[in-house]
Amino acid sequence: MKKILVTRRLLRSCEDKAETNFKAILNSNDELYSQKKIIELSNGCDGILSSLTEKLDSDTINKLPESVKIISNFAVGFGNIDLDAAKKRGIAVTNTPDVLTDATAEIGVLLILGACRRASEGIESARQGGWKWSADYLIGKQLTGTKLGILGMGRIGQKIAKVAKSLGMIIHYHNRSKLNDEKEDGAIYHQNLRDLLEQSEVLSICCPASKETIDLINKDTIEYLPKGAIVTNIARGDIVDDDAMIDALNRRKVYAVGLDVYKNEPNLNSGYLNHKSAFILPHLGSATKETRTAMANLAIDNIVEFFDTGDCRNKVN
Ligand code: GLV
């Protein structure tokens, strides 16, 4: 039986599945392992079921035992893993696409609603009590008729587009390539980031974090947005330059942000913490029982497939 290291606690039924298929080293205390500990614990392992909270950089990957042949990431994103370093070492890296599209898109829509309709301020006022309804109390931005720019029209972007369209938003998007008519579903394609941002009254960041997208939304690109735009991020914190975004919020260039992901999670930039126009969530994108179960099962199946066939359809390197 192959041996795997499961770096974070999974839902019980998924840990049972891992133990049925492998000799699995589980993390029952859900300790956040250091890179050194991951290297130590993977001694004698054939694979690692990793999660987005571990940074598997080239230094760590190069120190993994020779026996490790696959890193199966419990996430659709894989920016935490140095794919080239893994490839050089002959280690396959896999992810969990599709199964988290709906749950993540739900949070993507929540971010748009929360930021546009001033949910943070509303929740705070309701909790404090003593608020007084009036005709102009906590007036927000209505979604109907508002232009939504989607940066990265993959599966999650397309699902957000579908829901937003049903709410009356007008969908624009930027992607490496134009989608076919069916996937586009009436959305307007922009070949350039700048063209998309100029149209985005609300921006939804849905693209993967990569060398090309780090700090893509920065001091300069923020200026392309219309004044008073709303920026939401369901993808990865690395895509946004936080200081530039907080500065834009402070001078009302950006009206509000809706964020689920951050640089240096969970230690997000303190500028967001007390900002009344920041609707912030603690990386909840895929956090439903159905989705977390499906993700963990797929991460396990990816390892099974890899050892059965020598390949895996969800291999990303
Ligand atoms: C969640 O953020 C994921 O990438 O799966």
Side-chain angles (χ1 to χ4, degrees):
M1 205 179 219
K2 299 282 184 196
K3 184 172 167 192
I4 63 166
L5 169 67
V6 180
T7 61
R8 296 295 306 272
R9 189 169 58 213
L10 306 175
L11 297 185
R12 188 61 245 175
S13 66
C14 307
E15 293 197 334
D16 290 345
K17 178 176 163 105
E19 285 189 308
T20 307
N21 285 280
F22 303 104
K23 186 166 178 331
I25 307 174
L26 302 177
N27 179 356
S28 47
N29 294 328
D30 206 22
E31 192 188 323
L32 273 180
Y33 292 149
S34 64
Q35 290 157 319
K36 189 164 167 270
K37 184 124 191 203
I38 291 175
I39 295 163
E40 275 165 26
L41 288 174
S42 48
N43 187 25
C45 286
D46 302 284
I48 300 177
L49 196 156
S50 59
S51 92
L52 53 83
T53 50
E54 291 107 38
K55 194 166 168 52
L56 300 177
D57 54 17
S58 61
D59 194 42
T60 309
I61 287 179
N62 289 334
K63 289 184 184 144
L64 288 174
E66 280 296 322
S67 56
V68 173
K69 296 291 175 235
I70 177 167
I71 298 173
S72 172
N73 210 34
F74 173 50
V76 67
F78 38 83
N80 56 312
I81 303 173
D82 188 321
L83 296 187
D84 294 335
K87 200 178 175 110
K88 276 196 201 120
R89 280 284 315 267
I91 299 175
V93 178
T94 60
N95 72 339
T96 61
D98 294 320
V99 291
L100 45 60
T101 300
D102 289 352
T104 308
E106 285 174 10
I107 293 288
V109 173
L110 178 61
L111 296 178
I112 295 172
L113 284 163
C116 287
R117 299 302 302 272
R118 302 174 68 174
S120 278
E121 291 166 87
I123 292 167
E124 184 69 23
S125 285
R127 288 229 163 94
Q128 276 179 6
W131 46 274
K132 183 164 139 260
W133 185 94
S134 68
D136 60 356
Y137 177 60
L138 283 187
I139 292 227
K141 193 174 179 63
Q142 181 147 341
L143 268 51
T144 331
T146 295
K147 288 190 256 178
L148 172 65
I150 298 194
L151 174 54
M153 192 71 141
R155 288 168 283 242
I156 296 169
Q158 287 169 42
K159 181 74 195 238
I160 291 176
K162 193 168 176 187
V163 180
K165 196 174 164 195
S166 77
L167 293 170
M169 299 190 88
I170 301 149
I171 316 299
H172 292 248
Y173 74 101
H174 168 64
N175 221 26
R176 262 178 308 200
S177 47
K178 191 174 178 326
L179 301 180
N180 64 32
D181 288 354
E182 194 196 335
K183 286 187 172 163
E184 206 168 61
D185 192 24
I188 301 153
Y189 178 61
H190 297 276
Q191 210 176 347
N192 298 311
L193 175 66
R194 179 177 183 154
D195 292 347
L196 175 81
L197 295 181
E198 283 175 353
Q199 295 301 321
S200 300
E201 294 172 291
V202 178
L203 179 70
S204 174
I205 301 171
C206 302
C207 58
S210 66
K211 286 180 189 113
E212 292 76 43
T213 60
I214 288 189
D215 286 337
L216 192 59
I217 303 302
N218 56 40
K219 177 163 102 10
D220 299 326
T221 52
I222 286 172
E223 289 316 307
Y224 302 145
L225 290 163
K227 177 141 181 67
I230 285 162
V231 177
T232 66
N233 189 0
I234 189 66
R236 283 291 183 268
D238 285 335
I239 300 163
V240 176
D241 175 336
D242 291 327
D243 289 334
M245 186 55 71
I246 290 159
D247 174 61
L249 268 173
N250 288 337
R251 58 190 168 83
R252 305 303 272 168
K253 166 74 185 176
V254 168
Y255 171 83
V257 292
L259 307 173
D260 187 46
V261 288
Y262 309 89
K263 281 197 170 74
N264 305 319
E265 290 179 15
N267 305 314
L268 53 154
N269 190 308
S270 60
Y272 292 126
L273 290 177
N274 301 318
H275 207 294
K276 69 180 174 58
S277 302
F279 176 65
I280 53 175
L281 296 176
H283 204 145
L284 296 182
S286 60
T288 66
K289 188 172 176 196
E290 298 85 335
T291 295
R292 288 282 162 83
T293 303
M295 285 168 71
N297 287 342
L298 181 54
I300 295 164
D301 288 341
N302 284 340
I303 308 179
V304 171
E305 183 184 341
F306 178 77
F307 284 122
D308 282 355
T309 68
D311 202 357
C312 176
R313 83 201 76 157
N314 294 319
K315 187 164 172 281
V316 292
N317 70 337

